[in-house]
Amino acid sequence: MIIQERLTRKTYFEYGVGKLEALCHAAGMTAKTPQILEMFQSLTSPWSNKTIENYPLWLSDIADDYTPFEFSVAFEGNQPELRILFEAQGNSPNLESYWQAGLQINQLLVDVFKVNLERFYAVEDIFYPKNSEAKFVLWHSVCLWAEREPKFKLYLNPQIQGKSQASAVIKETLIRLGFTSAWSTLAEISAQRELGKDEFCYFSLDLSHGQDARVKIYLRHYDATPEYLEKVLSIARNYVPGDATEFCQAMVEEVHLFSAKPIISAFAFVTGDDVTPSSGTLHLPIAHYAPNDAIVRDRLHNYFTKHDLPLSSYNSIIEAFATRPLEEGSGIHQYTSLRRENQEQRITLYLAVEAHKVNPPQDAGATKIMKTPSPLEEIVLHYEHNSVTNHPFLQRLQEEQVNPPHLWILLANVQKGIVENFARRLANVIARIDDEKIRCILTKQLNDELGDGDFSRTHRKLFNKLMTAITTWQPTIITEATFAPGKELSQYMEEVYSDPNPYIGLGAAIIMEIRGKQFDICVGKEFRRTKVELSSCEWLTMHEELELGHADESLTLARLIPDSNEMIEAVRRGADSTNTALTNFLNGVYQLCLIS
């Protein structure tokens, strides 16, 4: 991702209100614009007055660049529907603070907009944050029309007690709200494929009084095919066979498998029918499946024209919203979605404001969806979907009260096991890899590791600075055993990176970047729960950002490896053995901190 340079720093409100005003005029809501802008300000105050930083402390999951709000426009007939989705920002970057911020918005909605929160109160205790690894806790949205009153809804996180508890959370929530039979319908979906391929990711409630007030359950589908999506969506009353396949083929060329980012399905239930969903919606993360926004625009033009959707309305909206040439980035069109409303197609565009970052245009070849993933792509996807943060030690670290001595022991062992010799070991692999394309990517990563030529910015030096900043966290008693996990990992790393077959070292490098991203985000959250001054933690904040790009490069590396059984097996062996070594490393730290 390219960080946007902002010579004149803006607040979230200043940046968002300009986009929102342009959307209001383009959507034919000029008369309501002052009222809508005032509503936006009241719902996002006071956090929207904060100056936008390139890398925020809280990584909001609403947008790819972590902006804590998103605009969307639904096209159905001649009158667009404008929506605002936002995450109330807490005073501290942790789930408890964000939960309290969300509850304050709830109270504002009751006091000012007279919404009905009875159903939320019935399930509030289920969604109280208990797993600090969860990506969000409470979001809100408002739907706006030119000639109707606004409607509100909120989003809750089924994974708030951990991914493994998401199904139980959904089941209990539906039972309490009177949708007892709905769980059986949804359980059939999540049981159709291997464990982990389909997961409950969002639960939303309409905050209104009518019989048509919905509950919606969202599922994330990893590595889904259009055929599978057809099967999933067919449980909804409004579904028309063939819709999913046609939509996927129109939005993404050569669609066979959605592996870049999972597609999401959503099912709505209304009071009086808890067996059959009243509607099913397909959410496609188009930003990850198109080279740039101009290509997305062209695909939408074709689809709107074919289905007699309001093309002129779409053109007005995207021209008003975009503040850069569409071909110069990928991400304004974040999602496109399809559902049937009274048997008519309803297309929704989810528009990212790109307050923090702009994704550069992608290589056209990189966005094509493979007919079937290669064996090495499957390895990368497996380790992406099965995060190292599921390890019992990291789970305990996140779920319990922050423990600085345990963090110190963990990082001291990371220093000894990985950081001290990482650059030298990676350089050893680079020198012996005979494929220049692979060598280029690894060399770029090594250049980042070595501070882009600035010795004071090398990651090893910055890590030493970090350890100095947290010296007071050091346990009272330190022995040789304190560093045993790091020494054992270091010995393994030396062997795998110097293996005579450099492709074994390449497999290790691929997994290290994936696990590094997951580890850095987890540890970053823990640091933000402490009182340590983040300016002294530059290694961590910089690594959080760099590892996102490096981990993405792992899939590219997997695709570059020649289709040779010998090379594939070497990379697989290096990857799997490295993952085992990292698991053993965390086992050792767990023993030190929580069992000894």
Side-chain angles (χ1 to χ4, degrees):
M1 290 184 175
I2 297 175
I3 296 176
Q4 289 189 172
E5 294 294 336
R6 301 192 177 282
L7 299 179
T8 303
R9 309 295 284 180
K10 289 185 176 181
T11 65
Y12 282 115
F13 178 74
E14 289 170 332
Y15 197 71
V17 77
K19 296 276 190 177
L20 181 57
E21 186 172 15
L23 281 179
C24 287
H25 291 303
M29 301 182 188
T30 302
K32 276 195 171 182
T33 298
Q35 176 185 342
I36 291 172
L37 298 184
E38 182 180 353
M39 178 187 298
F40 178 65
Q41 184 172 30
S42 67
L43 291 174
T44 61
S45 178
W47 60 265
S48 62
N49 292 321
K50 295 179 180 178
T51 300
I52 296 172
E53 300 295 336
N54 282 334
Y55 201 75
L57 293 179
W58 179 261
L59 306 182
S60 178
D61 201 40
I62 282 181
D64 286 341
D65 79 321
Y66 313 127
T67 302
F69 57 88
E70 167 197 79
F71 302 124
S72 57
V73 184
F75 298 92
E76 177 195 351
N78 296 320
Q79 181 57 58
E81 174 188 327
L82 176 61
R83 291 102 61 86
I84 306 168
L85 173 67
F86 64 95
E87 179 176 38
Q89 301 293 284
N91 294 324
S92 301
N94 59 66
L95 288 174
E96 173 63 31
S97 177
Y98 275 65
W99 175 254
Q100 295 302 325
L103 294 183
Q104 289 176 15
I105 294 296
N106 280 357
Q107 193 59 50
L108 174 68
L109 293 177
V110 170
D111 294 341
V112 177
F113 300 100
K114 311 306 178 187
V115 304
N116 186 334
L117 285 176
E118 289 179 7
R119 295 194 298 175
F120 170 74
Y121 295 143
V123 298
E124 180 178 3
D125 62 300
I126 301 176
F127 293 95
Y128 180 83
K130 299 173 184 176
N131 170 30
S132 61
E133 178 63 14
K135 292 185 176 181
F136 82 100
V137 59
L138 184 57
W139 295 344
H140 295 83
S141 75
V142 55
C143 302
L144 304 159
W145 298 269
E147 299 177 357
R148 295 164 58 185
E149 291 301 308
K151 287 189 176 182
F152 300 88
K153 62 180 176 180
L154 58 78
Y155 293 80
L156 297 160
N157 190 349
Q159 299 180 12
I160 200 65
Q161 298 180 25
K163 281 190 175 184
S164 63
Q165 298 300 310
S167 295
V169 166
I170 290 292
K171 182 178 181 180
E172 176 64 19
T173 302
L174 289 170
I175 291 173
R176 287 197 194 181
L177 295 176
F179 295 92
T180 306
S181 299
W183 170 246
S184 299
T185 303
L186 296 169
E188 290 179 9
I189 299 174
S190 59
Q192 288 183 38
R193 297 197 297 166
E194 63 185 89
L195 186 65
K197 287 288 189 179
D198 301 283
E199 64 182 23
F200 294 103
C201 55
Y202 308 116
F203 184 89
S204 74
L205 288 170
D206 285 356
L207 303 181
S208 55
H209 301 268
Q211 288 293 310
D212 60 345
R214 304 164 301 170
V215 299
K216 290 183 75 174
I217 301 91
Y218 297 73
L219 293 101
R220 185 179 288 122
H221 306 287
Y222 292 97
D223 303 331
T225 63
E227 293 77 16
Y228 178 66
L229 296 169
E230 286 277 349
K231 185 177 181 181
V232 168
L233 290 163
S234 67
I235 68 170
R237 183 182 298 110
N238 69 337
Y239 188 64
V240 173
D243 268 0
T245 299
E246 184 198 18
F247 185 67
C248 290
Q249 291 174 344
M251 293 296 104
V252 187
E253 297 174 353
E254 302 179 19
V255 177
H256 297 281
L257 184 77
F258 287 94
S259 59
K261 185 171 183 176
I263 278 189
I264 292 174
S265 64
F267 298 96
F269 291 87
V270 294
T271 302
D273 186 354
D274 65 344
V275 177
T276 305
S278 61
S279 68
T281 307
L282 178 68
H283 297 268
L284 195 159
I286 189 65
H288 293 259
Y289 294 98
N292 57 61
D293 284 293
I295 297 295
V296 179
R297 175 198 59 203
D298 294 343
R299 294 174 184 174
L300 286 167
H301 274 199
N302 292 335
Y303 194 85
F304 272 55
T305 300
K306 179 178 180 180
H307 292 278
D308 197 27
L309 290 162
L311 180 58
S312 60
S313 182
Y314 162 71
N315 284 335
S316 297
I317 282 168
I318 199 62
E319 288 170 9
F321 188 83
T323 52
R324 61 164 174 80
L326 294 179
E327 62 273 11
E328 291 186 3
S330 174
I332 290 177
H333 300 83
Q334 187 162 255
Y335 275 82
T336 55
S337 76
L338 168 69
R339 86 163 186 249
R340 290 276 179 170
E341 196 76 26
N342 299 319
Q343 291 306 305
E344 296 297 323
Q345 288 199 342
R346 173 188 170 97
I347 303 295
T348 302
L349 306 180
Y350 297 81
L351 304 172
V353 301
E354 301 179 320
H356 294 131
K357 303 176 183 177
V358 175
N359 281 324
Q362 302 178 56
D363 176 72
T367 62
K368 290 183 179 178
I369 312 308
M370 306 300 290
K371 293 182 180 180
T372 56
S374 71
L376 293 181
E377 286 177 312
E378 286 184 339
I379 290 175
V380 171
L381 294 171
H382 169 77
Y383 287 118
E384 284 279 14
H385 299 163
N386 296 277
S387 174
V388 70
T389 57
N390 293 325
H391 188 278
F393 174 69
L394 296 181
Q395 285 286 301
R396 288 276 298 272
L397 199 67
Q398 299 164 84
E399 291 171 0
E400 297 176 0
Q401 184 176 355
V402 65
N403 192 313
H406 288 175
L407 276 173
W408 187 92
I409 291 173
L410 174 63
L411 291 173
N413 278 280
V414 167
Q415 183 178 35
K416 190 164 291 293
I418 300 173
V419 176
E420 286 182 353
N421 292 290
F422 185 77
R424 176 179 60 78
R425 290 164 177 163
L426 182 58
N428 187 15
V429 173
I430 294 170
R432 295 180 295 119
I433 285 286
D434 54 7
D435 188 301
E436 195 159 317
K437 290 182 179 178
I438 293 175
R439 200 159 58 234
C440 281
I441 293 175
L442 295 179
T443 301
K444 172 184 170 293
Q445 294 179 0
L446 179 61
N447 183 59
D448 290 338
E449 188 72 23
L450 294 175
D452 194 22
D454 182 349
F455 177 68
S456 68
R457 306 280 298 164
T458 60
H459 289 195
R460 177 176 175 175
K461 200 165 184 65
L462 292 175
F463 195 93
N464 292 342
K465 179 182 176 183
L466 170 67
M467 295 303 295
T468 300
I470 62 172
T471 300
T472 56
W473 296 359
Q474 181 175 319
T476 305
I477 300 175
I478 297 292
T479 67
E480 281 294 309
T482 305
F483 304 100
K487 290 178 179 178
E488 183 179 339
L489 180 61
S490 180
Q491 182 178 346
Y492 165 81
M493 297 285 282
E494 192 68 29
E495 292 172 359
V496 75
Y497 275 87
S498 60
D499 192 282
N501 187 339
Y503 282 85
I504 289 179
L506 176 60
I510 287 173
I511 293 307
M512 287 298 292
E513 297 301 341
I514 295 172
R515 290 307 192 217
K517 174 187 71 173
Q518 297 162 348
F519 178 84
D520 289 348
I521 291 174
C522 173
V523 173
K525 287 183 177 180
E526 289 307 295
F527 263 72
R528 291 178 177 97
R529 293 170 63 195
T530 70
K531 302 297 184 181
V532 69
E533 175 56 50
L534 286 176
S535 62
S536 62
C537 305
E538 190 176 2
W539 176 88
L540 182 61
T541 55
M542 180 176 65
H543 237 240
E544 284 176 318
E545 186 171 328
L546 285 175
E547 289 295 357
L548 292 176
H550 288 185
D552 291 342
E553 289 163 359
S554 293
L555 195 58
T556 303
L557 285 169
R559 290 169 176 164
L560 288 174
I561 294 165
D563 188 14
S564 156
N565 289 338
E566 181 180 352
M567 288 185 180
I568 290 172
E569 181 54 34
V571 173
R572 183 195 301 274
R573 192 159 69 250
D576 289 343
S577 64
T578 299
N579 186 67
T580 299
L582 292 172
T583 300
N584 291 337
F585 168 78
L586 289 173
N587 289 345
V589 177
Y590 188 101
Q591 180 78 26
L592 281 170
C593 294
L594 299 169
I595 298 178
S596 297

